């Protein structure tokens, strides 16, 4: 049983803890929060017999857990991942693992110093069966393009509009649509089509300097892919992958329930059943890799993460979006 | 009854002639084609008692018609429109009226010399009731963005893939996705949201130098709009206009049959019935303007066309797409 420590106590952490427990491979044993009441509340709500921490150094120094799940604000992910590795912990870090590809050097160094440890970016969607069904499709059909969309009105946007600055809408916390939602699309595009030859991002910039929405354009030798993301509007658009005159329609790249393959003759549903909790597959995958010492799986996923964030950093900085952490 | 002459004898001309007749305002009296058999065949198929021409100068010199409908290859539109005006003919010219905004100077000069004449770009969709329902919506709601798509696998693309160079896929004839299909989206965006502050186009360039597909990004002060077009893939995506957390979904900007307004509470259908032939409204509008001498209508639509093609020329040339006619 892996003993799990968590940083962050919001809904995504609750969802991950539920998924982790459902795999039968994890037990929640340590909770870090800046405020003890928050940690206690999370422990109560999840009925966890866990040690509570309000000091991050003490948390990482504790022998109470083996694996940390990091769901802090984006700007803290990379530094906390490095800190965790150097404290001898395995790491599951929420997307984005890094907000500037330069931060990967710190992770590489920490991993080199602790080569037996594991680090995974919690790109949950790529571990799901339907995502892999689409991968199988794209790797066995000639691709002629794609339009992928993940655009959702943020629960924090009303606060932003009223003049407040929620973390996810600030450059201080490395927020914005690309890092929060666009990352799902970049993972999908690179998994399904490979690394693009050229990529650009045309964002809508908000008053805080982050991107509220935008469209990415990825150029491949024989086709191109458009990726639409946003946190300021609500889209119901499905996504499409084109092959010749045929079209694969998926309901949502970040959580695929439907995969319809439409030819001139008919439409066939290629999807399988989807887990209730979309984080189960990743939690199971990470546990298996850690438990079996499968560093090949770790390195393969880390290479994918590196490719994703190389593109993300390039298109973001080309678009003139500057994060506080870019200066580090 | 307006006496109609036509340049071009393909499906779009047949559709326009049918629409024009259905309005009861036009009679087909002159047909130009490079080959007499083609002109004769069109006359037979449309049961028109029309004079046939294979020489364009003779065609324009003929008193057999008052209004010309121009549906030649894109690269010929502007020059033929000027020629027609200078021959004393009213002009209905297919999209794009011009393929470089510089060509508008010739049209302006010809119109100045013949101020009683009319010229309209056949942007058929903007004349339809449902298009105007959307206009009314966008002009009475705060807009927070839009994603519009018109992407259709061209009937000529198989020939292109087999090594041939159909006109619509060449820079010689000012072809490509932006000029052929994207123009519908630019008309929609400018009609619904106004002229953008900034605009760019990220195309997929084919071997002939034209754009097979691409995405436009229009920046407005408070929101941005993404326009997806293409002739090399088949999309079934609807289009969306965002207002706050609500979403207006339209099935297809170029021919709107459904307008669904989705709020957190419910979805309401705002669409009205659509004509069988989508060119009837424009044909009726042009006839009425010409018959009543409504130069205000002419100038208003010409201003819109100027705005559309100013943006089209800028984004196309910025994207490095060079037409033969750019040199003129």
């Amino acid at each position: 049983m892996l003993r799990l420590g968590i940083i962050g106590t919001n809904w995504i952490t609750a969802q991950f803890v539920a998924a982790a427990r459902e795999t039968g491979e994890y037990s929640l044993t340590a909770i870090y929060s800046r405020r003890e009441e928050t940690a206690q509340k999370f422990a109560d709500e999840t009925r966890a017999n866990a040690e509570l921490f309000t000091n991050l150094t003490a948390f990482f120094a504790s022998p109470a857990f083996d694996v940390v799940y990091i769901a802090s604000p984006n700007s803290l992910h990379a530094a906390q991942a490095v800190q965790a590795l150097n404290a001898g912990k395995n790491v599951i870090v929420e997307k984005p693992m890094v907000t500037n590809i330069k931060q990967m050097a710190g992770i590489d160094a920490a991993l080199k110093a602790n080569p037996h440890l594991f680090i995974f970016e919690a790109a949950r969607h790529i571990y799901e069966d339907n995502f892999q069904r689409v991968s199988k499709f794209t790797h066995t059909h000639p691709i002629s393009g794609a339009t992928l969309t993940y655009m959702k009105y943020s629960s924090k946007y009303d606060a932003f509009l009223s003049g407040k600055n929620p973390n996810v809408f600030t450059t201080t916390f490395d927020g914005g649509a690309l890092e929060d939602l666009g990352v799902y699309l970049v993972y999908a595009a690179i998994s399904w089509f490979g690394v693009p030859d050229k990529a650009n991002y045309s964002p809508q910039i908000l008053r805080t300097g982050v991107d509220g929405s935008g469209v990415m354009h990825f150029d491949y030798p024989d086709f191109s892919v458009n990726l639409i993301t946003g946190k300021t509007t609500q889209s119901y658009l499905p996504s499409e992958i084109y092959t010749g005159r045929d079209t694969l329609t998926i309901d949502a790249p970040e959580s695929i329930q439907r995969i319809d393959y439409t030819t001139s003759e008919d439409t066939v549903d290629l999807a399988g059943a989807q887990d209730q909790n979309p984080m189960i597959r990743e939690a199971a995958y990470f546990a298996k890799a850690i438990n079996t010492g499968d560093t090949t799986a770790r390195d393969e996923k880390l290479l994918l993460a590196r490719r994703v964030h190389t593109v993300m950093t390039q298109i973001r900085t080309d678009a003139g979006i500057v994060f506080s952490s870019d200066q580090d």
Side-chain angles (χ1 to χ4, degrees), chain A:
Chain A
M1 186 74 82
L2 293 167
R3 295 174 310 148
L4 181 67
I6 58 169
I7 299 178
T9 53
N10 62 7
W11 67 269
I12 200 170
T13 311
Q15 192 177 44
F16 183 78
V17 167
R21 284 170 162 174
E22 198 168 329
T23 66
E25 302 287 352
Y26 300 81
S27 170
L28 177 57
T29 54
I31 301 173
Y32 165 80
S33 181
R34 280 173 304 169
R35 294 172 57 236
E36 178 142 14
E37 308 88 281
T38 313
Q40 186 62 58
K41 184 158 172 282
F42 192 89
D44 292 346
E45 284 174 2
T46 56
R47 299 182 186 186
N49 183 15
E51 272 192 63
L52 309 184
F53 298 85
T54 56
N55 178 295
L56 201 60
T57 309
F59 173 73
F60 280 128
S62 162
F65 65 101
D66 320 302
V67 185
V68 63
Y69 170 74
I70 300 172
S72 50
N74 293 346
S75 57
L76 306 177
H77 289 180
Q80 290 177 346
V82 169
Q83 203 176 346
L85 289 170
N86 287 332
K89 309 297 187 188
N90 295 296
V91 175
I92 299 167
V93 56
E94 260 310 324
K95 304 163 299 300
M97 174 188 269
V98 296
T99 52
N100 187 318
I101 191 64
K102 288 190 294 180
Q103 297 161 357
M104 201 62 96
I107 290 172
D108 290 338
L111 206 54
K112 197 169 178 188
N114 303 276
H116 60 293
L117 290 180
F118 283 77
I119 178 166
F120 286 105
E121 183 171 21
R124 61 164 173 73
H125 61 317
I126 69 169
Y127 295 95
E128 295 201 83
D129 285 358
N130 282 336
F131 188 95
Q132 285 163 31
R133 283 190 181 88
V134 175
S135 292
K136 191 173 165 195
F137 182 94
T138 61
H139 296 143
T140 54
H141 290 75
I143 298 303
S144 40
T147 311
L148 310 182
T149 300
Y150 188 14
M151 183 179 253
K152 196 174 163 187
Y153 192 91
S154 166
S155 60
K156 310 284 188 190
Y157 192 52
D158 286 339
F160 178 85
L161 287 176
S162 77
K164 298 197 181 73
N165 291 331
N167 293 351
V168 293
F169 284 107
T170 67
T171 55
T172 317
F173 288 96
D174 302 356
L178 178 63
E179 295 294 337
D180 266 13
L181 302 189
V183 63
Y184 286 90
L185 302 178
V186 178
Y187 254 105
I190 291 182
S191 299
W192 293 339
F193 315 121
V195 175
D197 292 351
K198 281 193 309 181
N200 69 53
Y201 183 48
S202 299
Q204 169 76 7
I205 302 294
L206 303 181
R207 64 170 152 74
T208 50
V210 297
D211 50 320
S213 66
V215 61
M216 294 169 253
H217 184 79
F218 284 13
D219 255 322
Y220 294 88
D222 297 323
F223 60 91
S224 66
V225 168
N226 300 316
L227 310 176
I228 300 165
T229 192
K231 292 174 70 68
T232 59
T233 53
Q234 183 66 36
S235 174
Y236 302 94
L237 290 176
S239 292
E240 292 182 334
I241 296 169
Y242 313 108
T243 170
R245 60 174 71 220
D246 301 334
T247 306
L248 192 78
T249 304
I250 59 184
D251 53 348
E254 77 284 4
S255 185
I256 303 171
Q257 307 216 34
R258 291 187 60 88
I259 308 171
D260 288 333
Y261 184 37
T262 303
T263 65
S264 53
E265 268 147 48
D266 58 6
T267 295
V268 182
D269 183 0
L270 306 181
Q274 162 97 343
D275 299 321
Q276 275 291 317
N277 185 326
M279 301 176 99
I280 288 175
R281 297 303 167 117
E282 62 169 357
Y285 186 96
F286 303 153
K288 186 175 173 196
I290 294 169
N291 287 331
T292 62
D294 185 355
T295 52
T296 304
R298 174 196 71 189
D299 295 343
E300 187 189 295
K301 297 305 180 192
L302 200 57
L303 176 61
L304 177 58
R306 195 182 304 277
R307 287 173 171 160
V308 165
H309 293 291
T310 299
V311 172
M312 297 264 293
T313 301
Q314 176 242 306
I315 62 179
R316 174 177 66 78
T317 53
D318 283 357
I321 302 166
V322 179
F323 286 159
S324 304
S325 63
D326 290 339
Q327 323 307 330
D328 298 347

